[in-house]
Amino acid sequence: MSIRTVPITPFPDQRPGTSGLRKKVSVFRQPGYVEAFIQSIFDALPEAVGESVVGKTLVLGGDGRLFAIEAAQTVIHMAAANGVGRLLVGRDGLLSTPAASGLIRQYRAFGGIVLSASHNPGGPGGDFGIKYNVGNGGPAPERVTEAIFRCSQQISCYRALEAPAVPLDRIGETRLGEMTIEIVDPVADYAALMERIFDFDRLRDLFRSGFRFRFDAMHAVTGPYAVEIFERRLGAPPGTAINAEPLPDFGGHHPDPNPTHAAALVAAMMDQNGPDFGAASDGDGDRNMVIGPGCVISPSDSLAVLAANARLVPWFTRGLPGVARSMPTSRAVDAVAAALGIACYETPTGWKYFGTLLDAGQIALCGEESAGTGSDHLREKDGVWAVLFWLNILAVRREPVAAILADHWRRYGRHFYVRHDYEGLPADRAARLIDRLRAGLPTLPGQRVGAFTVARAEEFAYTDPVDGSVSIGQGICVELAEAARIVYRLSGTGTEGATLRVYLERFEADPAWHGTGSAAMLAPLAAVAAALADIAGMAGRSQPSVVV
Ligand code: VG1
Ligand code: CO
């Protein structure tokens, strides 16, 4: 076995986005592309986090999508050549993103590499991705991802061990050169952690009482987790987890748990004789969609309900020190925090911004409007955990989901919410649209737009309250005097052109309105949002391509 040092020229497009580097599978398949990025991670760490990987433990896993096995072998051979001491790998290369985060923490690893493009589609025409997580188990902060990008632009060679592929299908230890490889059960440690967080006895009672639950794993990574936890440990009937076998192309579907892509689950939940509770998660298992009979729960509302009911869960019996949400997420959780008298932080989009607050103990629960919810139990959003949180609440309260929601809105008011995505825009046009909005910000306050008056208009910038790091250009916010808000930002996870996201929110205290649909309540605001940004003129679109 010998270490090869292979000359390579930089790829210009290796800047990580909102959550790692995501590109088409065909881009990742270019000779040397994966190698250049992985070597850049190893090269960046001494400067970015103060230590190299030499002699350290790393965690490796992914969502099993097409190209994951090839990429895992590349990472393994490069880790050995770069001096990694021990590599913990999920069996068959599988680890959900939250499980990887948990393993990094549990084994005090130096960091981890997650091979996934998360909620992006997979398969030959789909996407692949690589994400680096640091020692707290969370996504590398901006400082680290920028250092990785800088290294990728200066790279001249990578190192890899010349050796045959390492079998990943059997639990246990092997060696590759000087490196120890430990193949671990991807589910066991994660399931044990969930048992420490939630009231499993009560959950078993719930299922014994005949409670009907359906979990759609969308042929992505959470299938084995769902079968083990919901069916084997909690006694939900076999078949509770559907589409539970991870497939490289997610069965041809898009593993994004929203009403559009999980339409069959939504249809089942709208049926008179449907289950009592439904849920789904995404490619790498960090997102969740939760849904009751006849009612889809918006992720922003879900975060607020979890905050309000946190004490029902053993992990949180002493209450929450504080909560956080990403900026475009609705302010439903702010209302709960205010009532509880705890802090509520507003961070830029992306889980990496919650890490310092969680580490400092300033928050214990956080979430994003994009169906991500998580807590201080690890440092990623966590789909199966969020579903267990809801089940735990339902097991204690024994009320229908719709009643819990209605009660929540009566108490805190309802934040009507919707997101409009305009996908596949030419990048230059999308950038011009944002530039134009930015340029117009100073003139907006006081202006009358439709039935609304602009109260404040700004581009969101964030100073991390723990480490003082500053992130700018995080979205255009237009605050309206009528308890409403519009946010515009460009996606940082897409791989085709640009995606404009328009987030619409409007608060209503009066319960008489709470039963009205979001679309109807937000239609006037949507019209104003489209007009203010001149989406038709600037982007040539009269309708969003996705509404969630
Ligand atoms: C999107 C979401 C963001 C989320 C990110 C990663 O980013 O808006 O809230 O953290 O995806 O989620 P963007 O930049 O496309 O809006 V996942 O489950 O794809 O890791
Ligand atoms: Co994800």
Side-chain angles (χ1 to χ4, degrees):
M1 263 182 256
S2 66
I3 292 175
R4 278 186 309 147
T5 301
V6 184
I8 193 157
T9 44
F11 294 88
D13 61 346
Q14 295 201 326
R15 172 174 261 139
T18 311
S19 175
L21 183 71
R22 292 187 197 178
K23 303 284 172 196
K24 293 270 167 221
V25 169
S26 54
V27 172
F28 271 105
R29 280 208 158 121
Q30 296 172 85
Y33 194 87
V34 170
E35 288 85 347
F37 190 67
I38 296 294
Q39 188 64 52
S40 301
I41 296 175
F42 292 149
D43 289 349
L45 292 172
E47 182 215 310
V49 304
E51 281 178 284
S52 81
V53 293
V54 174
K56 303 282 177 15
T57 299
L58 288 185
V59 169
L60 172 66
D63 63 7
R65 68 178 60 215
L66 187 77
F67 192 58
I69 292 294
E70 293 100 303
Q73 293 293 347
T74 302
V75 173
I76 291 169
H77 290 82
M78 290 186 65
N82 280 274
V84 170
R86 189 179 186 85
L87 193 63
L88 294 175
V89 189
R91 187 183 46 227
D92 296 326
L94 290 182
L95 281 179
S96 76
T97 286
S101 178
L103 283 180
I104 294 171
R105 297 172 67 76
Q106 185 177 339
Y107 293 95
R108 299 184 195 286
F110 182 66
I113 292 171
V114 179
L115 303 174
S116 166
S118 194
H119 68 284
N120 296 27
D127 296 345
F128 190 72
I130 301 180
K131 193 165 79 127
Y132 184 71
N133 282 29
V134 291
N136 74 348
E142 217 175 275
R143 173 175 50 79
V144 178
T145 56
E146 281 303 303
I148 294 169
F149 178 62
R150 277 198 304 279
C151 286
S152 78
Q153 297 311 291
Q154 292 156 11
I155 193 167
S156 59
C157 61
Y158 69 84
R159 281 187 296 285
L161 196 77
E162 203 140 8
V166 178
L168 301 180
D169 55 350
R170 231 175 312 129
I171 307 278
E173 265 189 30
T174 50
R175 281 186 81 80
L176 183 67
E178 301 288 296
M179 183 174 80
T180 302
I181 300 175
E182 187 180 348
I183 310 292
V184 298
D185 181 318
V187 179
D189 289 314
Y190 178 84
L193 176 61
M194 294 303 116
E195 292 204 8
R196 293 209 303 279
I197 297 173
F198 299 105
D199 191 340
F200 268 46
D201 287 333
R202 224 147 174 175
L203 286 164
R204 276 188 280 267
D205 286 346
L206 179 73
F207 287 117
R208 251 198 307 273
S209 75
F211 184 86
R212 288 167 312 147
F213 170 45
R214 182 172 300 172
F215 180 86
D216 189 343
M218 304 187 88
H219 286 304
V221 78
T222 49
Y225 296 83
V227 169
E228 174 63 26
I229 295 171
F230 301 131
E231 298 183 7
R232 294 214 188 95
R233 299 201 185 192
L234 293 173
T240 294
I242 59 167
N243 302 322
E245 188 200 350
L247 297 175
D249 66 346
F250 307 116
H253 298 291
H254 187 159
D256 189 354
N258 64 38
T260 306
H261 296 304
L265 178 68
V266 175
M269 295 303 299
M270 297 303 144
D271 190 285
Q272 289 273 313
N273 299 311
D276 300 305
F277 187 59
S281 69
D282 72 331
D284 61 335
D286 55 0
R287 294 186 178 207
N288 73 91
M289 176 175 83
V290 281
I291 172 165
C295 71
V296 179
I297 307 163
S298 88
S300 297
D301 276 348
S302 175
L303 176 64
V305 171
L306 299 189
N309 291 275
R311 279 177 187 271
L312 303 183
V313 165
W315 185 270
F316 297 118
T317 38
R318 279 177 302 165
L320 301 167
V323 293
R325 59 165 172 80
S326 67
M327 183 273 286
T329 303
S330 98
R331 285 150 173 179
V333 74
D334 301 38
V336 176
L340 293 172
I342 59 173
C344 179
Y345 298 88
E346 185 178 51
T347 58
T349 295
W351 208 260
K352 55 179 174 255
Y353 298 103
F354 293 128
T356 53
L357 291 165
L358 289 164
D359 285 350
Q362 299 198 16
I363 62 167
L365 179 72
C366 45
E368 297 192 273
E369 56 66 43
S370 54
T373 331
S375 89
D376 57 352
H377 70 291
L378 39 82
R379 293 294 179 274
E380 288 277 4
K381 52 191 192 257
D382 190 344
V384 169
W385 168 90
V387 173
L388 285 165
F389 201 146
W390 264 96
L391 287 169
N392 198 141
I393 293 170
L394 293 167
V396 175
R397 289 183 57 167
R398 299 284 176 136
E399 292 167 70
V401 172
I404 290 177
L405 260 188
D407 171 60
H408 186 91
W409 293 332
R410 243 189 329 273
R411 235 174 253 242
Y412 302 100
R414 179 167 179 190
H415 294 76
F416 286 91
Y417 192 83
V418 74
R419 192 183 82 221
H420 289 183
D421 288 344
Y422 298 79
E423 299 170 307
L425 303 179
D428 53 335
R429 288 184 80 166
R432 274 205 300 278
L433 181 148
I434 294 288
D435 288 345
R436 182 179 157 277
L437 275 172
R438 183 184 297 117
L441 287 174
T443 64
L444 279 181
Q447 259 193 49
R448 193 82 191 135
V449 284
F452 302 90
T453 309
V454 178
R456 227 156 31 92
E458 62 182 24
E459 184 162 35
F460 184 60
Y462 178 67
T463 303
D464 186 302
V466 180
D467 69 10
S469 56
V470 174
S471 307
I472 57 163
Q474 298 293 334
I476 305 283
C477 314
V478 180
E479 194 79 50
L480 302 161
E482 295 77 10
R485 182 173 72 145
I486 306 167
V487 174
Y488 306 88
R489 60 178 283 281
L490 298 181
S491 159
T493 58
T495 60
E496 250 175 43
T499 294
L500 170 69
R501 302 200 196 280
V502 182
Y503 309 82
L504 305 167
E505 172 180 2
R506 182 175 181 180
F507 176 71
E508 179 55 67
D510 182 357
W513 290 101
H514 290 171
T516 313
S518 295
M521 286 299 279
L522 294 169
L525 190 62
V528 163
L532 261 184
D534 187 19
I535 296 174
M538 298 296 294
R541 295 284 176 83
S542 57
Q543 292 297 326
S545 46
V546 174
V547 176
V548 284

